[in-house]
Amino acid sequence: MTSYSLPVLPFDEKLIYIDGRWVQSTSTATHNVENPDTGDVIAVVPECNAQDLDKAVQAAYNAFHDGPWANQFSGAERRDALIAIADAIEEHRAELELIESINTGKPISDMHVEVDDTIDLFRHFAGYADKVEGRHIGHQTNQTIEGYTVKVPVGVVGFINAFNYPLNLLGWKVAPALAAGCTVVFKPGPQTPLTTQYFAYLLEKTGKFPPGVFNVVTGGVEVGQALVDHDLVDKIGFTGSVATGKHVIRSTASTQNVRSTSVELGGKSPGVVMPDADLDKTAQLVVSGCMSNAGMNCNALTRLWVHRDIYDEFMPKIKAAAESMVLGAPQKETTVMGPVIDKRQFDRVMEYIRIGKEEDKAAVLTGGERAFDRGYWIKPTIFYNVKSDARIATEEIFGPVLSVLEPFDSLDEVIEIERKNEFGLAAGIFSRNHQDIKKFTRKLRSGTIWVNTYNALFSYLPFGGFRNSGFGRELGYESFDGYLVPKSIIDDVSY
Amino acid sequence: MRSSAPVACHGRTGLIYIDGRWVQSTSTATHNVENPDTGDVIAVVPECNAQDLDKAVQAAYNAFHDGPWANQFSGAERRDALIAVADAIEEHRAELELIESINTGKPISDMHVEVDDTIDLFRHFAGYADKVEGRHIGHQTNQTIEGYTVKVPVGVVGFINAFNYPLNLLGWKVAPALAAGCTVYFAYLLEKTGKFPPGVFNVGQALVDHDLVDKIGFTGSVATGKHVIRSTASTQNVRSTSVELGGKSPGVVMPDADLDKTAQLVVSGCMSNAGMNCNALTRLWVHRDIYDEFMPKIKAAAESMVLGAPQRRHGDGPVIDKRQFDRVMEYIRIGKEEDKAAVLTGGERAFDRGDARIATEEIFGPVLSVLEPFDSLDEVIEIERKNEFGLAAGIFSRNHQDIKKFTRKLRSGTIWVNTYNALFSYLPFGGFRNSGFGRELGYESFDGYLVPKSIIDDVSY
């Protein structure tokens, strides 16, 4: 199998982008960036430290409080800056797609969609930048006091991104935050810094963003901790695991100044196949719902309820759909699924497969082993007849592993059991019965509920969790509003 | 100076309200409720424990997930329940005012206003209960996928209330939470309306470690607030929080201010509720040109405040308890001995450097720090940027450009112009920086008790 090499980067990936310039890290530590298809090292970036982080935050703080971005630019100017970055991403999409595909193992065909979505995000949120409104309460309400609200940007936002959608999730976070007038310090997942750095390069090239508005630090735990510990940060946006998310929340209350947070902590999202579902379409949707991005997807469909009446008919269909997924060099257009991101994830997923077989004693429908003898490849794996409280059915695996639960008889029983799901990020139902669809969508407390599709997300509909999937919303007006804070001005006009 | 406690008209003080019934605490510990005017014990209530709390939260959880409140009641039914509580408060206002005044030392004249405000809060938020909307994205946007949002209640909300406005802050918290369809743990009057299903409203000790709670609303100190936030990430399930943590709110008196009106506003802005007010005006900037003229006016205004039995008509009351008393007296000592500030009146005021301890730390008592004279509004704004807190501020001026500069540049949750402490059910209140995050009052507070779900439907299936 051929491997594709990283294109020449138009910036120096050994530098970090702070305050409008590419500078040396003060740390000598570095991080090897891998190609998970092969395990080869493709680049070396700084492992930033607390001093780097302090510089970045200071730059974002000064840019916010003293610079033109939040204090002189009109909403239209911020809008146009965001439109310019969308255009720049579009202009350089081929390089971005290739770099991300090599760095993450994502199929290049997925990257076409992800870059489309990223461009859309910046254009979508650009459209909010010039429409920020407060409300005005006049004399119809009170004869002597005039009051109004002003929505102001929350301030300096620190982002800790996950590794699974480096560029796309950057768009989710950065587009609304910048549209709202915030300034940003952004830390990509340690495994996946390259497209974030490329984004900084493109942002700089537009010439429309004052220095310090957007800053990048690369690295892992040390610089991440420094970010959540920094007093000049007003809000933290975090995507990652429950354990780290809890740590982040506690850190926001362990500095001089409390900070607000928005956290997205994963899921164990259920799908439900009703007896009247179109089984062929559903088999495809369920398998891609789980295996897309090699299962490294917070909202992946990972526990599947199949009605008893169609269970035996449905199993061969999902088996066939999983086995027809083309694995191979991610940069080939025919490849449908790539490897997991690194050795740690590989070991974790393989361990869950072992748990499924040996502890949960679940039957394997397909997969259950590694693929190829290089990199971090795992075959699309489906367990079936799994107990709904089995470990593989309740804990987030974050790999290409689907647990098909024991057959169910009534939707009511499914809804009742799903109430106890630790997570509440997403769910899906496959049915043509209107009342069943309505019952499911009305009763389930999940941030997103798909009907006869899965994984379809839009810039204009909010995404986020209930319970241990976290709180706060990304995408949609709600995410934009989350980067704004109201002030109330109360004026006694009778003075 | 003594007013006797009213007859315990409800006879409930030994019990706690859980799941629609008044029950015994499983704890034997009790708490003596004092009258801070005299220090006398006026009542004894249970000191609830974790078992009580668990019962309360379980009741709220069951009521939310299985009961009619969030699953069968229409918005109009919740609206009418809240209107009924408002009516019940109004019917019993005389008792509420007297009890609160004796329990807190609040002047009875203040209580008339606070009860008015509480009634208004319930009627105001009742009006949101039947107007919850999501948005619908149809085929003009996408030909195959129909999407819509549904706003659902966040769930079980645990409130930890401060002591400074017991009834009024309860209204701030509970009215929007119940209007949104949440269930709450925090008592009494709801039972009499007969419109609230069991478990919707419960009292219990304010612990934050319970997993079945979806959101915590907290008003209190920065230190405790940080502890609360950390606790929300120390259980099995993370919970969201909204916290209001106090302030060190600045007032600014410009040279063209009406000095007589301003003196009154400043003094009441600080001393109202004996200074036990998160948004109290506690650090005052006075322009050099009017400094010497202004000092005697605020001295006189302070000295004319009538202190006395709170249940008489008006004036200022005591602080809430010995702990607060000691704390405030300690700050007065710090002001005199450490900050070396001069006292203008009583033992209770000083003028001093902007960074003195009494000028930067929240005292929560009737102590105003008048800072050294200032020359330009720009310098004030620059210094206030470094204020640890950002809850409120006030400017006294008739110059439009100065007012606009101040209101536009200061990052404070509420900014008053030529008034102070005036709050309304329809305008949001809350902090920047260490004053916390989240908003009470206003539509924003109601929205904070709702969470969106997105339904995404492929109609081409």
Side-chain angles (χ1 to χ4, degrees), chain B residues 211-232:
Chain B
D211 254 308
L212 299 184
V213 172
D214 296 290
K215 178 168 180 157
I216 303 276
F218 173 83
T219 297
S221 71
V222 172
T224 311
K226 288 179 177 180
H227 174 76
V228 167
I229 293 166
R230 286 193 295 266
S231 298
T232 60

PDB file of all heavy atoms in Angstrom, chain B residues 211-232:
ATOM      1  N   ASP B 211     -26.088  13.449  42.687  1.00  0.00           N
ATOM      2  CA  ASP B 211     -26.036  13.152  41.260  1.00  0.00           C
ATOM      3  C   ASP B 211     -27.317  13.403  40.503  1.00  0.00           C
ATOM      4  O   ASP B 211     -27.286  13.572  39.297  1.00  0.00           O
ATOM      5  CB  ASP B 211     -25.651  11.686  41.047  1.00  0.00           C
ATOM      6  CG  ASP B 211     -24.242  11.584  40.574  1.00  0.00           C
ATOM      7  OD1 ASP B 211     -23.900  12.270  39.584  1.00  0.00           O
ATOM      8  OD2 ASP B 211     -23.478  10.846  41.203  1.00  0.00           O
ATOM      9  N   LEU B 212     -28.448  13.383  41.174  1.00  0.00           N
ATOM     10  CA  LEU B 212     -29.712  13.527  40.447  1.00  0.00           C
ATOM     11  C   LEU B 212     -30.064  14.996  40.196  1.00  0.00           C
ATOM     12  O   LEU B 212     -31.082  15.297  39.607  1.00  0.00           O
ATOM     13  CB  LEU B 212     -30.849  12.831  41.194  1.00  0.00           C
ATOM     14  CG  LEU B 212     -30.676  11.318  41.379  1.00  0.00           C
ATOM     15  CD1 LEU B 212     -31.907  10.729  42.048  1.00  0.00           C
ATOM     16  CD2 LEU B 212     -30.405  10.624  40.052  1.00  0.00           C
ATOM     17  N   VAL B 213     -29.212  15.893  40.646  1.00  0.00           N
ATOM     18  CA  VAL B 213     -29.454  17.317  40.415  1.00  0.00           C
ATOM     19  C   VAL B 213     -28.850  17.693  39.074  1.00  0.00           C
ATOM     20  O   VAL B 213     -27.725  17.323  38.769  1.00  0.00           O
ATOM     21  CB  VAL B 213     -28.803  18.155  41.528  1.00  0.00           C
ATOM     22  CG1 VAL B 213     -28.876  19.636  41.207  1.00  0.00           C
ATOM     23  CG2 VAL B 213     -29.454  17.853  42.858  1.00  0.00           C
ATOM     24  N   ASP B 214     -29.586  18.400  38.258  1.00  0.00           N
ATOM     25  CA  ASP B 214     -29.105  18.780  36.933  1.00  0.00           C
ATOM     26  C   ASP B 214     -28.406  20.129  36.901  1.00  0.00           C
ATOM     27  O   ASP B 214     -27.518  20.355  36.075  1.00  0.00           O
ATOM     28  CB  ASP B 214     -30.281  18.800  35.955  1.00  0.00           C
ATOM     29  CG  ASP B 214     -30.892  17.426  35.784  1.00  0.00           C
ATOM     30  OD1 ASP B 214     -30.226  16.570  35.167  1.00  0.00           O
ATOM     31  OD2 ASP B 214     -31.997  17.187  36.293  1.00  0.00           O
ATOM     32  N   LYS B 215     -28.813  21.017  37.759  1.00  0.00           N
ATOM     33  CA  LYS B 215     -28.230  22.357  37.757  1.00  0.00           C
ATOM     34  C   LYS B 215     -28.244  22.907  39.174  1.00  0.00           C
ATOM     35  O   LYS B 215     -29.182  22.670  39.932  1.00  0.00           O
ATOM     36  CB  LYS B 215     -29.033  23.279  36.836  1.00  0.00           C
ATOM     37  CG  LYS B 215     -28.507  24.712  36.808  1.00  0.00           C
ATOM     38  CD  LYS B 215     -29.106  25.543  35.694  1.00  0.00           C
ATOM     39  CE  LYS B 215     -28.519  26.954  35.760  1.00  0.00           C
ATOM     40  NZ  LYS B 215     -28.599  27.653  34.478  1.00  0.00           N
ATOM     41  N   ILE B 216     -27.204  23.653  39.497  1.00  0.00           N
ATOM     42  CA  ILE B 216     -27.119  24.311  40.806  1.00  0.00           C
ATOM     43  C   ILE B 216     -27.147  25.815  40.586  1.00  0.00           C
ATOM     44  O   ILE B 216     -26.397  26.336  39.746  1.00  0.00           O
ATOM     45  CB  ILE B 216     -25.791  23.961  41.516  1.00  0.00           C
ATOM     46  CG1 ILE B 216     -25.620  22.448  41.673  1.00  0.00           C
ATOM     47  CG2 ILE B 216     -25.705  24.666  42.858  1.00  0.00           C
ATOM     48  CD1 ILE B 216     -26.290  21.845  42.850  1.00  0.00           C
ATOM     49  N   GLY B 217     -27.995  26.498  41.359  1.00  0.00           N
ATOM     50  CA  GLY B 217     -28.006  27.958  41.350  1.00  0.00           C
ATOM     51  C   GLY B 217     -27.528  28.429  42.709  1.00  0.00           C
ATOM     52  O   GLY B 217     -28.078  28.039  43.734  1.00  0.00           O
ATOM     53  N   PHE B 218     -26.511  29.252  42.714  1.00  0.00           N
ATOM     54  CA  PHE B 218     -25.860  29.616  43.982  1.00  0.00           C
ATOM     55  C   PHE B 218     -25.679  31.116  44.087  1.00  0.00           C
ATOM     56  O   PHE B 218     -25.218  31.769  43.155  1.00  0.00           O
ATOM     57  CB  PHE B 218     -24.492  28.931  44.056  1.00  0.00           C
ATOM     58  CG  PHE B 218     -23.670  29.363  45.242  1.00  0.00           C
ATOM     59  CD1 PHE B 218     -23.860  28.792  46.492  1.00  0.00           C
ATOM     60  CD2 PHE B 218     -22.699  30.352  45.107  1.00  0.00           C
ATOM     61  CE1 PHE B 218     -23.113  29.199  47.593  1.00  0.00           C
ATOM     62  CE2 PHE B 218     -21.945  30.769  46.203  1.00  0.00           C
ATOM     63  CZ  PHE B 218     -22.156  30.180  47.449  1.00  0.00           C
ATOM     64  N   THR B 219     -26.026  31.652  45.224  1.00  0.00           N
ATOM     65  CA  THR B 219     -25.694  33.030  45.569  1.00  0.00           C
ATOM     66  C   THR B 219     -24.942  32.990  46.880  1.00  0.00           C
ATOM     67  O   THR B 219     -25.424  32.435  47.862  1.00  0.00           O
ATOM     68  CB  THR B 219     -26.966  33.896  45.731  1.00  0.00           C
ATOM     69  OG1 THR B 219     -27.645  33.949  44.477  1.00  0.00           O
ATOM     70  CG2 THR B 219     -26.615  35.296  46.171  1.00  0.00           C
ATOM     71  N   GLY B 220     -23.758  33.581  46.905  1.00  0.00           N
ATOM     72  CA  GLY B 220     -22.979  33.566  48.135  1.00  0.00           C
ATOM     73  C   GLY B 220     -21.591  34.103  47.879  1.00  0.00           C
ATOM     74  O   GLY B 220     -21.380  34.902  46.962  1.00  0.00           O
ATOM     75  N   SER B 221     -20.664  33.655  48.672  1.00  0.00           N
ATOM     76  CA  SER B 221     -19.311  34.199  48.581  1.00  0.00           C
ATOM     77  C   SER B 221     -18.526  33.541  47.456  1.00  0.00           C
ATOM     78  O   SER B 221     -18.867  32.461  46.974  1.00  0.00           O
ATOM     79  CB  SER B 221     -18.565  33.952  49.899  1.00  0.00           C
ATOM     80  OG  SER B 221     -18.265  32.565  50.012  1.00  0.00           O
ATOM     81  N   VAL B 222     -17.442  34.204  47.087  1.00  0.00           N
ATOM     82  CA  VAL B 222     -16.553  33.664  46.059  1.00  0.00           C
ATOM     83  C   VAL B 222     -15.985  32.324  46.492  1.00  0.00           C
ATOM     84  O   VAL B 222     -15.986  31.352  45.724  1.00  0.00           O
ATOM     85  CB  VAL B 222     -15.394  34.645  45.771  1.00  0.00           C
ATOM     86  CG1 VAL B 222     -14.368  34.005  44.851  1.00  0.00           C
ATOM     87  CG2 VAL B 222     -15.928  35.922  45.146  1.00  0.00           C
ATOM     88  N   ALA B 223     -15.532  32.232  47.720  1.00  0.00           N
ATOM     89  CA  ALA B 223     -14.898  30.992  48.189  1.00  0.00           C
ATOM     90  C   ALA B 223     -15.873  29.827  48.140  1.00  0.00           C
ATOM     91  O   ALA B 223     -15.555  28.746  47.629  1.00  0.00           O
ATOM     92  CB  ALA B 223     -14.360  31.188  49.607  1.00  0.00           C
ATOM     93  N   THR B 224     -17.076  30.043  48.659  1.00  0.00           N
ATOM     94  CA  THR B 224     -18.057  28.962  48.635  1.00  0.00           C
ATOM     95  C   THR B 224     -18.517  28.684  47.209  1.00  0.00           C
ATOM     96  O   THR B 224     -18.741  27.533  46.834  1.00  0.00           O
ATOM     97  CB  THR B 224     -19.264  29.305  49.527  1.00  0.00           C
ATOM     98  OG1 THR B 224     -18.791  29.733  50.796  1.00  0.00           O
ATOM     99  CG2 THR B 224     -20.178  28.093  49.716  1.00  0.00           C
ATOM    100  N   GLY B 225     -18.631  29.707  46.426  1.00  0.00           N
ATOM    101  CA  GLY B 225     -19.023  29.533  45.027  1.00  0.00           C
ATOM    102  C   GLY B 225     -18.030  28.670  44.269  1.00  0.00           C
ATOM    103  O   GLY B 225     -18.414  27.796  43.489  1.00  0.00           O
ATOM    104  N   LYS B 226     -16.760  28.883  44.514  1.00  0.00           N
ATOM    105  CA  LYS B 226     -15.758  28.055  43.857  1.00  0.00           C
ATOM    106  C   LYS B 226     -15.890  26.604  44.316  1.00  0.00           C
ATOM    107  O   LYS B 226     -15.763  25.666  43.518  1.00  0.00           O
ATOM    108  CB  LYS B 226     -14.357  28.580  44.168  1.00  0.00           C
ATOM    109  CG  LYS B 226     -14.027  29.882  43.468  1.00  0.00           C
ATOM    110  CD  LYS B 226     -12.620  30.371  43.849  1.00  0.00           C
ATOM    111  CE  LYS B 226     -12.280  31.630  43.097  1.00  0.00           C
ATOM    112  NZ  LYS B 226     -10.922  32.125  43.454  1.00  0.00           N
ATOM    113  N   HIS B 227     -16.151  26.430  45.594  1.00  0.00           N
ATOM    114  CA  HIS B 227     -16.354  25.081  46.112  1.00  0.00           C
ATOM    115  C   HIS B 227     -17.555  24.424  45.441  1.00  0.00           C
ATOM    116  O   HIS B 227     -17.504  23.255  45.059  1.00  0.00           O
ATOM    117  CB  HIS B 227     -16.548  25.145  47.629  1.00  0.00           C
ATOM    118  CG  HIS B 227     -16.913  23.839  48.236  1.00  0.00           C
ATOM    119  ND1 HIS B 227     -15.986  22.826  48.435  1.00  0.00           N
ATOM    120  CD2 HIS B 227     -18.096  23.351  48.656  1.00  0.00           C
ATOM    121  CE1 HIS B 227     -16.602  21.789  48.968  1.00  0.00           C
ATOM    122  NE2 HIS B 227     -17.874  22.066  49.112  1.00  0.00           N
ATOM    123  N   VAL B 228     -18.614  25.182  45.269  1.00  0.00           N
ATOM    124  CA  VAL B 228     -19.811  24.653  44.606  1.00  0.00           C
ATOM    125  C   VAL B 228     -19.486  24.232  43.177  1.00  0.00           C
ATOM    126  O   VAL B 228     -19.862  23.150  42.729  1.00  0.00           O
ATOM    127  CB  VAL B 228     -20.941  25.701  44.621  1.00  0.00           C
ATOM    128  CG1 VAL B 228     -22.075  25.319  43.675  1.00  0.00           C
ATOM    129  CG2 VAL B 228     -21.490  25.877  46.039  1.00  0.00           C
ATOM    130  N   ILE B 229     -18.771  25.069  42.462  1.00  0.00           N
ATOM    131  CA  ILE B 229     -18.438  24.752  41.063  1.00  0.00           C
ATOM    132  C   ILE B 229     -17.599  23.487  41.004  1.00  0.00           C
ATOM    133  O   ILE B 229     -17.837  22.592  40.186  1.00  0.00           O
ATOM    134  CB  ILE B 229     -17.683  25.912  40.399  1.00  0.00           C
ATOM    135  CG1 ILE B 229     -18.602  27.128  40.248  1.00  0.00           C
ATOM    136  CG2 ILE B 229     -17.147  25.508  39.028  1.00  0.00           C
ATOM    137  CD1 ILE B 229     -17.850  28.411  39.909  1.00  0.00           C
ATOM    138  N   ARG B 230     -16.615  23.396  41.890  1.00  0.00           N
ATOM    139  CA  ARG B 230     -15.773  22.193  41.879  1.00  0.00           C
ATOM    140  C   ARG B 230     -16.627  20.960  42.195  1.00  0.00           C
ATOM    141  O   ARG B 230     -16.414  19.894  41.623  1.00  0.00           O
ATOM    142  CB  ARG B 230     -14.627  22.340  42.879  1.00  0.00           C
ATOM    143  CG  ARG B 230     -13.537  23.302  42.409  1.00  0.00           C
ATOM    144  CD  ARG B 230     -12.281  23.177  43.256  1.00  0.00           C
ATOM    145  NE  ARG B 230     -12.497  23.582  44.632  1.00  0.00           N
ATOM    146  CZ  ARG B 230     -12.260  24.799  45.106  1.00  0.00           C
ATOM    147  NH1 ARG B 230     -11.794  25.740  44.306  1.00  0.00           N
ATOM    148  NH2 ARG B 230     -12.470  25.074  46.369  1.00  0.00           N
ATOM    149  N   SER B 231     -17.579  21.130  43.081  1.00  0.00           N
ATOM    150  CA  SER B 231     -18.420  19.988  43.437  1.00  0.00           C
ATOM    151  C   SER B 231     -19.268  19.510  42.269  1.00  0.00           C
ATOM    152  O   SER B 231     -19.593  18.326  42.189  1.00  0.00           O
ATOM    153  CB  SER B 231     -19.343  20.347  44.601  1.00  0.00           C
ATOM    154  OG  SER B 231     -18.593  20.675  45.739  1.00  0.00           O
ATOM    155  N   THR B 232     -19.627  20.404  41.392  1.00  0.00           N
ATOM    156  CA  THR B 232     -20.471  19.980  40.271  1.00  0.00           C
ATOM    157  C   THR B 232     -19.707  19.079  39.308  1.00  0.00           C
ATOM    158  O   THR B 232     -20.297  18.478  38.429  1.00  0.00           O
ATOM    159  CB  THR B 232     -21.023  21.167  39.474  1.00  0.00           C
ATOM    160  OG1 THR B 232     -19.923  21.924  38.945  1.00  0.00           O
ATOM    161  CG2 THR B 232     -21.888  22.053  40.335  1.00  0.00           C
TER     162      THR B 232
END
